[in-house]
Amino acid sequence: KEDALKDLEDLVKKLPWTNPLKVWELNNSLKKRKTKRKKHNPQSTASKEKLNDDGEEEERDQKDASKQEDCAQNTAGVEPVSGRDTEETQGSDAKDELQAGSGSETKAGGGKTSEGEAKVLKFRVTCNRAGDKHSFTSNEAARDFGGAVQEHFQWKADMTNFDVEVLLNIHNNEVVVGIALTEESLHRRNITHFGPTTLRSTLAYGMLRLCDPQPTDIIVDPMCGTGAIPIEGATEWPSCYHIAGDNNPQAVKRAANNICSLLKKNENKESSTSLGIPLDIVQWDICNLPLRTGSVDIIVSDMPFGKRIGSKKKNWDLYPACLMEMGRICTPGTGRAVLLTQDKKCFAKALSRMGHIWRKGQTVWVNVGGLHAAVYLLKRTWERAEEKRSFW
């Protein structure tokens, strides 16, 4: 335990902090400009209205013309580090999300006060940990790492009114350190109606990025739930056409409500012409999709884990049937699928049975609410899938 925590402390001096702190400074300066603009505009319009309306004041809503940055997990990464420090440890298995901070004064990225003296930056360390072989807690990791950051930068600790939030993500034996660019997480940015297993928007964005969508691609989520993946796709890749569906009518209704909320949000933007979004949602059966054979370029979906929805037993029949039907609608040779699941054993078995249709290209391990899950990038082979009846 002591060795692992000591390795975390030593890591602080080895990390390349300069570029991430420059990005943080730039982001901060842009936010300050935006705030100044917001404060300035209402005053000028209010004074104009005074002149036009016989001294009556009518305040108009001023809208920020600048676009909000909706990038997935908005952090300036410091660099992933393969953590030998966590290899030999053992302990709790679920995700602990605790925060600790330490430090005082600025070495890189401190603003100036009115008297010209260097401003003392305040910071905290937030630790997210997943894995079952750690002998330390998230609080201990954040405390020791934060102490080392304090010693390195001479910053001041403040758990609530901090300037810099250092993110320490530990996943089994891998450590990733970053600096947060937004005050709040963006994981719920496009979702207003939640279901029992609503996927984070940030993870949905990452899955879509993994399959590298191109203009005019047809992207399908056959098990969309509340629509996190297709909504994120339609927002970030508007030149693609997105189709989403689910067999649960309640899930389809929630997804439709989320789409309506997004459309209203777009209408409220001053610069938006409100042309809608390239997304349709349908209620369907995943094993019998109303789509032509070979008509889809990309499939992105969050498959049932068998915990809150379905069961591990049902997955043994569901997964092979899903992969078969996905293989049928996906374009041979160029089609690809990005699938998320925590039931890795069942998925591996199903994929081995469908080896003539799908080839595994890449696996990315992710932490979903403390569960050790995997995102699989699959590539469609040239093998022709079994034809089904035509729907046209």
Side-chain angles (χ1 to χ4, degrees):
K1 176 181 174 178
E2 287 75 15
D3 291 343
L5 293 173
K6 183 68 169 63
D7 285 344
L8 282 176
E9 290 177 25
D10 295 340
L11 190 61
V12 173
K13 295 177 183 177
K14 299 174 186 176
L15 293 171
W17 294 93
T18 309
N19 288 337
L21 282 170
K22 282 181 181 176
V23 173
W24 175 82
E25 282 179 7
L26 177 63
N27 185 65
N28 255 22
S29 65
L30 291 173
K31 280 199 284 189
K32 284 175 185 174
R33 283 181 206 167
K34 193 183 286 187
T35 308
K36 282 180 184 176
R37 214 179 297 136
K38 276 184 179 178
K39 286 179 181 176
H40 175 73
N41 286 346
Q43 290 174 357
S44 60
T45 52
S47 61
K48 283 177 187 175
E49 283 166 3
K50 274 185 184 178
L51 294 171
N52 294 337
D53 295 351
D54 296 326
E56 271 189 10
E57 264 193 7
E58 273 183 32
E59 275 208 357
R60 292 180 190 169
D61 291 339
Q62 296 298 321
K63 292 174 186 135
D64 196 355
S66 57
K67 293 180 182 176
Q68 294 181 349
E69 289 179 31
D70 279 345
C71 55
Q73 201 58 42
N74 253 351
T75 59
V78 169
E79 235 178 59
V81 181
S82 189
R84 284 177 302 159
D85 48 311
T86 59
E87 251 176 352
E88 302 168 0
T89 56
Q90 36 186 321
S92 78
D93 56 353
K95 170 183 162 193
D96 294 342
E97 205 164 315
L98 294 163
Q99 298 158 341
S102 317
S104 136
E105 210 190 65
T106 168
K107 192 168 186 175
K112 299 259 181 176
T113 62
S114 56
E115 289 136 0
E117 294 178 1
K119 179 188 172 185
V120 178
L121 282 184
K122 298 174 184 177
F123 89 109
R124 81 172 182 189
V125 174
T126 300
C127 179
N128 298 306
R129 183 177 60 86
D132 54 0
K133 293 184 178 179
H134 302 141
S135 63
F136 53 84
T137 65
S138 297
N139 200 24
E140 289 170 335
R143 181 198 64 204
D144 288 29
F145 190 81
V149 171
Q150 173 189 20
E151 193 177 325
H152 187 67
F153 289 110
Q154 296 298 302
W155 287 343
K156 184 179 179 181
D158 196 318
M159 298 300 294
T160 51
N161 300 317
F162 51 87
D163 300 307
V164 184
E165 183 176 22
V166 180
L167 305 176
L168 177 65
N169 296 319
I170 302 172
H171 192 269
N172 287 330
N173 66 338
E174 184 180 79
V175 178
V176 179
V177 181
I179 295 175
L181 297 181
T182 56
E183 292 174 9
E184 294 180 1
S185 174
L186 298 178
H187 72 277
R188 292 183 176 183
R189 56 176 171 256
N190 293 322
I191 304 296
T192 54
H193 295 74
F194 294 85
T197 59
T198 300
L199 190 68
R200 287 171 168 246
S201 298
T202 46
L203 182 51
Y205 176 86
M207 290 171 66
L208 285 155
R209 276 284 299 270
L210 193 60
C211 61
D212 189 26
Q214 299 300 312
T216 74
D217 275 352
I218 296 174
I219 304 176
V220 172
D221 181 357
M223 294 176 279
C224 70
T226 51
I229 292 173
I231 288 172
E232 195 67 25
T235 306
E236 299 297 329
W237 287 272
S239 56
C240 299
Y241 179 55
H242 304 264
I243 307 173
D246 203 286
N247 69 334
N248 187 330
Q250 188 62 37
V252 173
K253 187 179 178 181
R254 287 194 189 108
N257 286 333
N258 283 323
I259 294 168
C260 289
S261 299
L262 182 62
L263 288 170
K264 284 178 184 175
K265 179 182 165 184
N266 290 344
E267 283 173 9
N268 291 334
K269 288 184 180 178
E270 193 174 47
S271 58
S272 175
T273 51
S274 186
L275 297 174
I277 53 175
L279 167 60
D280 280 321
I281 183 161
V282 189
Q283 185 179 341
W284 59 27
D285 175 9
I286 173 59
C287 299
N288 192 22
L289 298 172
L291 298 169
R292 285 179 177 159
T293 300
S295 61
V296 174
D297 299 292
I298 297 170
I299 296 169
V300 186
S301 198
D302 173 15
M303 302 183 78
F305 288 11
K307 290 183 177 289
R308 291 185 186 176
I309 291 181
S311 66
K312 298 269 187 181
K313 186 178 179 182
K314 288 180 181 177
N315 284 351
W316 285 97
D317 294 323
L318 178 65
Y319 280 19
C322 287
L323 288 174
M324 176 65 80
E325 183 66 353
M326 289 176 185
R328 181 188 69 79
I329 65 170
C330 206
T331 310
T334 59
R336 51 232 186 257
V338 173
L339 305 174
L340 167 69
T341 181
Q342 191 257 341
D343 197 350
K344 300 179 284 291
K345 184 178 178 182
C346 181
F347 186 86
K349 185 71 176 175
L351 190 60
S352 66
R353 288 171 59 184
M354 298 296 145
H356 61 292
I357 296 176
W358 294 107
R359 290 277 185 272
K360 187 167 73 172
Q362 189 180 348
T363 306
V364 180
W365 304 107
V366 293
N367 176 17
V368 182
L371 297 174
H372 183 53
V375 175
Y376 297 95
L377 171 61
L378 307 180
K379 296 186 178 178
R380 182 68 168 83
T381 65
W382 287 100
E383 185 81 16
R384 289 189 64 183
E386 182 186 343
E387 291 283 342
K388 286 214 173 186
R389 65 184 176 85
S390 174
F391 289 90
W392 286 271

